[in-house]
Amino acid sequence: MQQTTATPTLSGAVSIPSNIRGMDQDDLDMTRALLNVWRAKYPRNLLRSAFYDAKQRFKNLQIAVQSDLGRKIGNTVGWPQKSVRALADKSVFEGFELPNNDEYGITRICMDNEMTADVSEAIISCYKHSCSFLTVDYDPYDPSGERILITPRSADWSAAIWDPQRRRIKAALTITGADQNGSITSFNVWLEGHNYAVTGTTGFGGWSAQRQDNRLDRVAVVPFAYDKQMDRPFGRSRINRTLMNLTDMAVRTMVRMEVSAEFYSVPKLWFLGLDKDAFESGTWSSLIADINAISRDVDGEVPDLKQIQQASMSPHGAMLETIAMLASAETDIPPESLGIRVSNPTSAEALAASENALTRVADRQNRIFGQQLMNAMRMAVQLRDNTPMAPTFAGVRPIWAPTRVVSDAARADYYAKVAGVNQAWAQSDVGLAKLGLSMDDITSLRAWEASQRAKEQLDQLRAQANAQKDPSQDATDHGGGTNEP
């Protein structure tokens, strides 16, 4: 299948092709349905991306702030991005636990695809748009066909249809190319047992498809979904309508604070009984002059000076704090992480305790992501070995970094207590992970232990060889033997 670098923004006004050369009619109907799904979902995905990047349109109420002032002030509230990254940072994929010397070659597949980095990208995209996808396919640049690609796909460049009977994806579409105007020029269609690479444009020769068959009994696409439910198989976004509305409220509050600060930064002076011609130079020059003098008026009266006091920022700050507390309740993120100080600085343990709700969500999501990673890896092994039977993967499981912040002293105490009653657990990868070692640390430790065992075995062999030497030969070697042969 074709793999093409994506451009940032697509044109949502895509025309549904009525004919694609090289594609069966049933597959064409499914492709048209997929394009309709993508076109219907793309505006909301684009809106959530705008909120994530802090590029959403400022919704001005036009009561306290003029339209031109609102457009000049930039967005300073990054809660949507914080909502996504705070949870995504707790889902750190470290690899697979591989017994039996990796008989399936999973390590090579992970290294070829940089899985630890790509999975993080898929998770961020999932939390941003409610779902993302992993596609499994042959590498088109590998003539041997042994290199398998597992590629993350974002929802704004993809579409899928769910099969409620078999509880998996029925068909999927991934956009792979677009021109400088955002018009789609190529896309892939993923179906059960075969795929299509479609290229072309509307009006210039039409669309053409190249078919590729495989021996899979399912679509070579797995979903990453956040908060998956029976009526929402592709989940929902962390940037939901509530958070977007709260972000708009916070932005308006910040804009009002900015406008108030600008308005009262220059002192407002009122001269009662003074003609405007008294200011021969500019107003600002008169205010900052070293010596200021104003003469009496024609009646001999001295003008009266009045100054407007600066407005207090406390109401704006209190409103912003209220909005932040609502955003904290919606996202399970502590208020301190949203920029609101509600108490004295807390310790690491207290901060971790405040993230208990977010940690539980991350643990649940990691189990769901792990199952989809196993499905993707099974399909990768099937494609590489060209076999219709999916491997069982006995003993293979995905490894995630701990989601909860625990001090080193607490980890050591827990490890020592459990190791005292179960030595096998203490020597296992599970026990070492509970101690706080990463997968790379465990791999390095296992390699060092293997080298030490090899060295000990070599020393034993040398000792046995020395013990079995002929006594006369041993004496000759030490200069104490005779000259007899």
Side-chain angles (χ1 to χ4, degrees):
M1 302 296 290
Q2 183 179 0
Q3 307 290 337
T4 307
T5 302
T7 56
T9 306
L10 295 173
S11 174
V14 60
S15 59
I16 308 300
S18 59
N19 182 39
I20 299 178
R21 294 191 303 272
M23 182 177 290
D24 299 337
Q25 184 60 43
D26 292 341
D27 297 340
L28 176 60
D29 295 339
M30 183 61 69
T31 301
R32 290 169 57 86
L34 288 167
L35 287 171
N36 282 321
V37 170
W38 175 83
R39 187 168 60 178
K41 299 295 183 181
Y42 185 68
R44 297 296 298 181
N45 289 330
L46 197 62
L47 176 63
R48 289 187 172 93
S49 295
F51 270 90
Y52 181 84
D53 297 327
K55 295 181 180 179
Q56 75 273 19
R57 182 177 60 87
F58 173 59
K59 293 184 178 180
N60 191 2
L61 301 180
Q62 296 183 353
I63 298 175
V65 180
Q66 295 181 356
S67 299
D68 55 346
L69 291 178
R71 288 191 295 266
K72 292 179 181 180
I73 299 176
N75 189 355
T76 58
V77 179
W79 294 345
Q81 185 181 100
K82 189 69 176 181
S83 174
V84 171
R85 295 303 300 266
L87 184 57
D89 289 343
K90 290 181 174 292
S91 298
V92 180
F93 177 65
E94 294 189 338
F96 290 91
E97 183 179 350
L98 304 171
N100 303 324
N101 297 322
D102 190 14
E103 60 177 322
Y104 300 105
I106 296 177
T107 301
R108 177 62 183 274
I109 297 177
C110 290
M111 292 178 61
D112 288 343
N113 291 276
E114 299 180 354
M115 291 289 291
T116 54
D118 287 353
V119 169
S120 297
E121 295 179 9
I123 291 175
I124 293 175
S125 181
C126 161
Y127 292 154
K128 185 194 302 185
H129 297 127
S130 81
C131 67
S132 61
F133 306 95
L134 293 179
T135 60
V136 186
D137 195 15
Y138 297 103
D139 185 356
Y141 302 104
D142 182 16
S144 65
E146 296 181 356
R147 188 173 188 270
I148 303 299
L149 293 181
I150 301 178
T151 309
R153 309 281 186 171
S154 62
D156 55 344
W157 280 65
S158 308
I161 296 177
W162 186 253
D163 187 350
Q165 282 75 29
R166 293 189 288 181
R167 306 293 298 167
R168 62 191 188 191
I169 290 179
K170 182 178 181 179
L173 179 144
T174 55
I175 299 172
T176 56
D179 59 15
Q180 63 274 14
N181 298 321
S183 299
I184 299 174
T185 58
S186 61
F187 57 88
N188 294 340
V189 181
W190 307 81
L191 302 170
E192 183 176 337
H194 61 282
N195 309 321
Y196 289 100
V198 183
T199 57
T201 55
T202 302
F204 296 94
W207 298 88
S208 61
Q210 181 180 0
R211 177 167 175 153
Q212 178 191 85
D213 295 321
N214 57 57
R215 303 184 68 180
L216 299 178
D217 60 347
R218 58 184 299 174
V219 179
V221 180
V222 296
F224 275 15
Y226 168 67
D227 195 16
K228 176 181 175 182
Q229 301 172 11
M230 288 187 293
D231 59 337
R232 300 180 69 94
F234 294 111
R236 62 184 182 91
S237 173
R238 290 275 295 175
I239 310 175
N240 54 23
R241 287 178 172 83
T242 302
L243 182 59
M244 287 190 286
N245 290 330
L246 290 173
T247 302
D248 286 336
M249 293 175 61
V251 171
R252 286 194 295 268
T253 304
M254 295 293 294
V255 170
R256 286 193 291 267
M257 292 177 67
E258 183 75 12
V259 172
S260 298
E262 289 290 333
F263 184 78
Y264 289 100
S265 294
V266 178
K268 297 295 181 181
L269 303 178
W270 294 83
F271 291 94
L272 304 180
L274 182 66
D275 190 83
K276 65 179 181 180
D277 295 335
F279 298 97
E280 296 180 357
S281 60
T283 304
W284 180 251
S285 300
S286 300
L287 291 174
I288 65 174
D290 294 335
I291 299 177
N292 295 316
I294 298 177
S295 61
R296 297 176 180 270
D297 59 10
V298 294
D299 299 328
E301 300 293 337
V302 178
D304 189 12
L305 173 64
K306 301 291 184 182
Q307 181 177 355
I308 299 177
Q309 298 296 325
Q310 182 176 359
S312 174
M313 294 295 175
S314 298
H316 301 291
M319 182 175 180
L320 184 62
E321 181 178 339
T322 302
I323 299 172
M325 297 299 291
L326 293 174
S328 174
E330 182 66 25
T331 60
D332 295 328
I333 299 176
E336 290 86 351
S337 299
L338 297 178
I340 301 298
R341 177 177 293 179
V342 296
S343 60
N344 294 327
T346 55
S347 62
E349 290 77 8
L351 185 60
S354 65
E355 294 183 351
N356 279 337
L358 198 66
T359 299
R360 290 194 298 269
V361 174
D363 290 334
R364 184 183 70 243
Q365 287 296 134
N366 288 348
R367 288 193 296 269
I368 298 174
F369 294 152
Q371 183 60 48
Q372 299 302 331
L373 284 172
M374 294 287 288
N375 293 335
M377 194 59 63
R378 288 190 182 95
M379 288 189 288
V381 173
Q382 278 187 266
L383 289 178
R384 184 197 60 195
D385 298 340
N386 194 23
T387 175
M389 297 298 295
T392 57
F393 280 176
V396 178
R397 68 182 184 95
I399 302 298
W400 301 89
T403 59
R404 188 182 302 275
V405 178
V406 181
S407 64
D408 294 338
R411 289 183 183 277
D413 181 66
Y414 172 79
Y415 180 83
K417 290 180 179 178
V418 180
V421 296
N422 192 338
Q423 287 293 330
W425 177 90
Q427 297 298 326
S428 66
D429 292 348
V430 177
L432 295 176
K434 290 292 185 181
L435 186 59
L437 273 66
S438 64
M439 287 299 297
D440 293 337
D441 296 335
I442 295 175
T443 302
S444 178
L445 176 62
R446 297 305 188 198
W448 180 84
E449 291 176 345
S451 64
Q452 290 298 111
R453 287 193 298 268
K455 183 178 179 181
E456 292 175 358
Q457 292 176 359
L458 183 60
D459 293 339
Q460 293 176 0
L461 292 175
R462 287 175 178 173
Q464 293 176 2
N466 291 333
Q468 294 175 359
K469 282 185 178 181
D470 185 70
S472 61
Q473 182 66 29
D474 184 68
T476 303
D477 292 340
H478 290 82
T482 62
N483 292 329
E484 295 180 359

